[in-house]
C-alpha cells in the first residue's frame, strides 16, 4: 500500500499559520497527507516556537537551519538536504511548500525539481541573485532550466498566486471575456491595469526589513506585483483564441519611483509625525539604485511578430505609494499587515469597437469603536457593449459583489495542490509571466527605453 505524502513547510510565517492550516487539516482528514513538518532559520526559532504553541494543529517535526553566512547562499543544500533525506527515509513520500523569503526560493525549488519532489512555491517563483543583488536578466534562463528539468521527472510543481482561482478575476471576468472573444472573433485590443498597494514603509524599515525587503534590489514587482503581472499575462494570452497560429512580440517601457524618492512624495505634515522626514536619506549609500522600487508604470504594445501590425495597446501600473491604513510609528508585534497595506485593483479589457469590461476590486477596512477589525473586499464589474450590432446585449451593465476575501483563491489553490488536483498554476504555465516580469524589471534600469520579448 502506497504511503500518503508528508508535507514539508519551508518558512512558517503568519501567512501559513493564519491562512493555510485549515487546508492542511482538511488534507489530513481526506488522507492526502499524514501530517506536516516545518523548516525555518535558527534566527526565527523563538518566534516560530511561540507561534506553534498557539496552534491547535501542531507540526510533527520542526527543524532550524543555520542562518546564511554568504550573500548569495540563501538556501544551502548542505543544510537542508539531510533533513529532506531524513524525512523521505522515514515517510517515503514528501511534498514541499516553499514559503521562505523570496531570495531563498530558487535553492529549494531547484532541489525539488532536480529530485522529483512535488512542490508548491509562493509567488514570485524566484529572484535570481548575483553578488547579493537581484539580477533580473537571469530570470528567463533560470525559468527555462527549471521547466526543462521538471520534464525529466513525474513530480508536478505549482505556483501560489492570487489570480488563478480568483472568483472575480478568473471565474467571472476572464471566463466571460473568453466566451465573448470566441463568439465575436474579436481580439483584445487594449488592456489597462492598475494596482494601488497602499504600502507605507518608513525609511529605517527599508534598511532593516528581511521579510519583503527592498535592500536586495527587488521591490514592488517581485512583491505583490507578481500577482498582477500574472493576471495581465492571462488576459493577453486570450488573443490566441482569435489568432491561434500567430506569434506575438511585446515592447514596453517603464518609469519608476524608489524609496529614495519617498521623502519628497509623502506630506511632511505626516512624515514628521512619524519622525520620518529624512531629506538626506537619498544621498546615503546611493540608495536610489541600491533599493528595490516602490512604484512602476509601464506602457506596452503587443504586435503580430510577422506582420508588425499592432493588436493590443496597454498600461500596467503597480504602485505602493497609495492610500494606506497605517497610523502607527512602530511595527506592531503579531500583526501581519505591519505597514497598513490596503489593495485597490482597477483594470479594463476592450474588444475594439464591440465590447469592454471594467473591474474595480478594493479592500474595505471594517472597524469597530477603536480599531480595524478586519479587511473585506468589494468588487464592481461594469461592461459597455455596442448593442446596436449585438441586440441581445445591453449597452451598459453593472454588478457588485461584497464580502469577498482574496485569500479564498489562495486557499483553493492550496487545497487543490494538497489533493494532487492542481492544474491551473503549474510551473510551465508561468513562463510568459516570468518573461514579462523580467522585461519590466530590466526596463526600469533604463527608464523610458524600450524592451522587447517574444510572447509565444
Amino acid at each position: 500500500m502506497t504511503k500518503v505524502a508528508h508535507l514539508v513547510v519551508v518558512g512558517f510565517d503568519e501567512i501559513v499559520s493564519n491562512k493555510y492550516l485549515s487546508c492542511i487539516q482538511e488534507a489530513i482528514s481526506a488522507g492526502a497527507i499524514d501530517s506536516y513538518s516545518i523548516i525555518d532559520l535558527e534566527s526565527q526559532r523563538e518566534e516560530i516556537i511561540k507561534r506553534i504553541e498557539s496552534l491547535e494543529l501542531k507540526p510533527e517535526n520542526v527543524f532550524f537551519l543555520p542562518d546564511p553566512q554568504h550573500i548569495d547562499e540563501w538556501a544551502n543544500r548542505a543544510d537542508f538536504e539531510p533533513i529532506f533525506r531524513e524525512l523521505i527515509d522515514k515517510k517515503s513520500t514528501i511534498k514541499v511548500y516553499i514559503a521562505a523569503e523570496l531570495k531563498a526560493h530558487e535553492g529549494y525549488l531547484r532541489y525539488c525539481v532536480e529530485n522529483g519532489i512535488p512542490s508548491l512555491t509562493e509567488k514570485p517563483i524566484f529572484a535570481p541573485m548575483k553578488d547579493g543583488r537581484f539580477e533580473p536578466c537571469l530570470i528567463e534562463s533560470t525559468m527555462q532550466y527549471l521547466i526543462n528539468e521538471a520534464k525529466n521527472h513525474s513530480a508536478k510543481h505549482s505556483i501560489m498566486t492570487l489570480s488563478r482561482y480568483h472568483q472575480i478575476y478568473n471565474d467571472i471576468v476572464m471566463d466571460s471575456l473568453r466566451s465573448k472573444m470566441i463568439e465575436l472573433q474579436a481580439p483584445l485590443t487594449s488592456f489597462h491595469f492598475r494596482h494601488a498597494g497602499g504600502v507605507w514603509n518608513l525609511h529605517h524599515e527599508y534598511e532593516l526589513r528581511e521579510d519583503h525587503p527592498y535592500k536586495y534590489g527587488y521591490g514592488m514587482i517581485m512583491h505583490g506585483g507578481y500577482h498582477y503581472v500574472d493576471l495581465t499575462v492571462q488576459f493577453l494570452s486570450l488573443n490566441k483564441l482569435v489568432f491561434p497560429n500567430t506569434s506575438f512580440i511585446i515592447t514596453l517601457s517603464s518609469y519608476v519611483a524608489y524609496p529614495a524618492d519617498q521623502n519628497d512624495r509623502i506630506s511632511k505634515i505626516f512624515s514628521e509625525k512619524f519622525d520620518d522626514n529624512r531629506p538626506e536619506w537619498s544621498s546615503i549609500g546611493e540608495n536610489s539604485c541600491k533599493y528595490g522600487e516602490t512604484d512602476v508604470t509601464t506602457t506596452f504594445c503587443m504586435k503580430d511578430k510577422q506582420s508588425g501590425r499592432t493588436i493590443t495597446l496597454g498600461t500596467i501600473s503597480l504602485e505602493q505609494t497609495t492610500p494606506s491604513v497605517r497610523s502607527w510609528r512602530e511595527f506592531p508585534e503579531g500583526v501581519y499587515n505591519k505597514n497598513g497595506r490596503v489593495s485597490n485593483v482597477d483594470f479594463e479589457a476592450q474588444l475594439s469597437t464591440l465590447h469592454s469590461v471594467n473591474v474595480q476590486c478594493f479592500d474595505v477596512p471594517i472597524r469597530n469603536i477603536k480599531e480595524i477589525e478586519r479587511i473585506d473586499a468589494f468588487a464592481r464589474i461594469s461592461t459597455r457593449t455596442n448593442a446596436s450590432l449585438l441586440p441581445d446585449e445591453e449597452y451598459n451593465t453593472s454588478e457588485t459583489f461584497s464580502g469577498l476575501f482574496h485569500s479564498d483563491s489562495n486557499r483553493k489553490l492550496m487545497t487543490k495542490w494538497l489533493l494532487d488536483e492542481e492544474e491551473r498554476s503549474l510551473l510551465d504555465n508561468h513562463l510568459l509571466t516570468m518573461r514579462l516580469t523580467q522585461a519590466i524589471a530590466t526596463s526600469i534600469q533604463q527608464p523610458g527605453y524600450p524592451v522587447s520579448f517574444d510572447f509565444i
Side-chain angles (χ1 to χ4, degrees):
M1 182 176 178
T2 304
K3 287 188 176 182
V4 297
H6 183 74
L7 176 64
V8 181
V9 179
V10 181
F12 194 70
D13 63 7
E14 298 100 323
I15 295 179
V16 182
S17 60
N18 294 340
K19 191 182 292 187
Y20 298 129
L21 277 187
S22 61
C23 302
I24 294 171
Q25 178 63 76
E26 290 168 5
I28 292 172
S29 300
I33 59 174
D34 67 347
S35 58
Y36 74 105
S37 294
I38 292 170
I39 297 176
D40 215 305
L41 295 176
E42 183 62 43
S43 59
Q44 302 302 307
R45 177 185 289 268
E46 185 177 339
E47 184 177 338
I48 297 297
I49 291 175
K50 185 178 179 181
R51 186 170 297 135
I52 290 171
E53 287 174 350
S54 66
L55 301 178
E56 186 174 333
L57 179 64
K58 290 183 168 38
E60 185 173 330
N61 306 284
V62 183
F63 304 95
F64 293 102
L65 305 179
D67 282 74
Q69 300 299 308
H70 188 271
I71 57 174
D72 284 332
E73 204 171 73
W74 306 108
N76 188 349
R77 274 194 193 196
D79 293 330
F80 72 77
E81 183 174 15
I83 296 172
F84 279 21
R85 291 189 178 279
E86 175 186 335
L87 290 172
I88 291 171
D89 288 343
K90 182 179 178 181
K91 298 290 187 176
S92 179
T93 303
I94 66 171
K95 53 195 316 180
V96 180
Y97 170 41
I98 302 168
E101 179 14 62
L102 172 59
K103 54 189 179 293
H105 284 191
E106 184 180 338
Y108 289 106
L109 180 55
R110 274 182 181 266
Y111 184 84
C112 290
V113 167
E114 292 169 356
N115 290 276
I117 300 172
S119 69
L120 172 65
T121 305
E122 271 292 337
K123 61 76 196 168
I125 307 171
F126 57 82
M129 306 294 288
K130 183 178 180 181
D131 298 327
R133 309 291 302 153
F134 176 44
E135 191 60 71
C137 67
L138 299 177
I139 288 177
E140 183 173 358
S141 59
T142 304
M143 186 68 175
Q144 197 65 66
Y145 166 78
L146 293 170
I147 291 172
N148 292 339
E149 182 64 25
K151 293 176 182 177
N152 297 325
H153 306 275
S154 59
K156 293 199 296 186
H157 306 277
S158 292
I159 309 304
M160 174 61 78
T161 185
L162 182 73
S163 61
R164 294 283 170 160
Y165 291 88
H166 198 281
Q167 66 184 101
I168 300 298
Y169 306 149
N170 300 96
D171 296 343
I172 296 178
V173 179
M174 200 173 303
D175 282 355
S176 64
L177 192 67
R178 180 184 294 109
S179 298
K180 192 72 71 179
M181 290 174 71
I182 293 172
E183 173 195 350
L184 302 177
Q185 281 298 287
L188 180 68
T189 50
S190 70
F191 185 78
H192 298 281
F193 184 93
R194 179 172 182 264
H195 175 236
V199 171
W200 190 352
N201 289 304
L202 307 185
H203 288 87
H204 75 275
E205 291 163 356
Y206 289 118
E207 296 168 333
L208 298 176
R209 290 196 74 171
E210 289 293 340
D211 61 318
H212 287 77
Y214 292 74
K215 59 186 177 181
Y216 300 105
Y218 53 84
M220 177 57 172
I221 300 166
M222 304 303 285
H223 289 160
Y226 186 86
H227 286 307
Y228 307 108
V229 175
D230 185 43
L231 184 65
T232 297
V233 164
Q234 291 177 69
F235 274 95
L236 294 178
S237 296
L238 294 176
N239 274 331
K240 279 290 185 181
L241 298 170
V242 182
F243 302 107
N245 301 313
T246 299
S247 294
F248 301 106
I249 186 169
I250 290 181
T251 300
L252 58 83
S253 62
S254 304
Y255 288 93
V256 64
Y258 290 98
D261 302 311
Q262 180 167 305
N263 207 71
D264 291 332
R265 304 184 75 212
I266 292 182
S267 166
K268 299 296 185 297
I269 296 173
F270 296 95
S271 64
E272 288 179 355
K273 287 181 180 179
F274 281 67
D275 193 25
D276 195 47
N277 183 9
R278 299 279 299 278
E280 82 292 347
W281 194 80
S282 63
S283 62
I284 299 175
E286 298 181 346
N287 285 319
S288 60
C289 62
K290 179 181 177 184
Y291 287 80
E293 74 287 344
T294 58
D295 307 78
V296 185
T297 60
T298 298
T299 301
F300 69 87
C301 174
M302 183 178 189
K303 293 186 177 184
D304 179 323
K305 188 174 182 180
Q306 184 172 2
S307 70
R309 293 193 180 107
T310 296
I311 305 297
T312 309
L313 296 173
T315 53
I316 305 167
S317 177
L318 305 170
E319 301 175 52
Q320 293 190 343
T321 314
T322 58
S324 164
V325 296
R326 181 169 185 171
S327 61
W328 48 90
R329 288 175 58 173
E330 301 298 329
F331 275 172
E333 289 189 13
V335 176
Y336 175 65
N337 188 15
K338 292 178 172 63
N339 48 29
R341 65 179 181 176
V342 282
S343 175
N344 178 21
V345 169
D346 189 324
F347 66 87
E348 183 157 11
Q350 299 188 128
L351 310 183
S352 62
T353 59
L354 299 176
H355 176 76
S356 79
V357 57
N358 175 263
V359 179
Q360 292 177 290
C361 194
F362 53 90
D363 288 341
V364 182
I366 307 297
R367 63 180 174 185
N368 54 30
I369 297 174
K370 292 184 178 180
E371 59 187 13
I372 294 173
E373 187 176 86
R374 69 182 190 277
I375 296 180
D376 291 348
F378 172 89
R380 179 185 295 110
I381 302 174
S382 305
T383 67
R384 295 179 295 117
T385 306
N386 187 342
S388 300
L389 289 177
L390 306 170
D392 293 334
E393 303 283 342
E394 298 292 335
Y395 285 107
N396 299 91
T397 68
S398 183
E399 188 174 7
T400 59
F401 304 82
S402 59
L404 305 172
F405 294 95
H406 295 305
S407 57
D408 288 348
S409 62
N410 300 84
R411 277 193 284 264
K412 190 170 183 179
L413 197 159
M414 172 65 80
T415 297
K416 291 279 189 183
W417 177 73
L418 288 170
L419 298 177
D420 293 324
E421 297 174 357
E422 205 296 294
E423 298 289 344
R424 291 189 190 180
S425 194
L426 298 174
L427 181 66
D428 56 358
N429 298 151
H430 284 258
L431 177 59
L432 288 177
T433 302
M434 291 298 271
R435 279 183 180 162
L436 179 54
T437 299
Q438 175 172 315
I440 299 174
T442 54
S443 72
I444 68 176
Q445 295 175 342
Q446 289 187 291
Y449 283 81
V451 173
S452 298
F453 69 99
D454 291 335
F455 192 89
I456 53 177

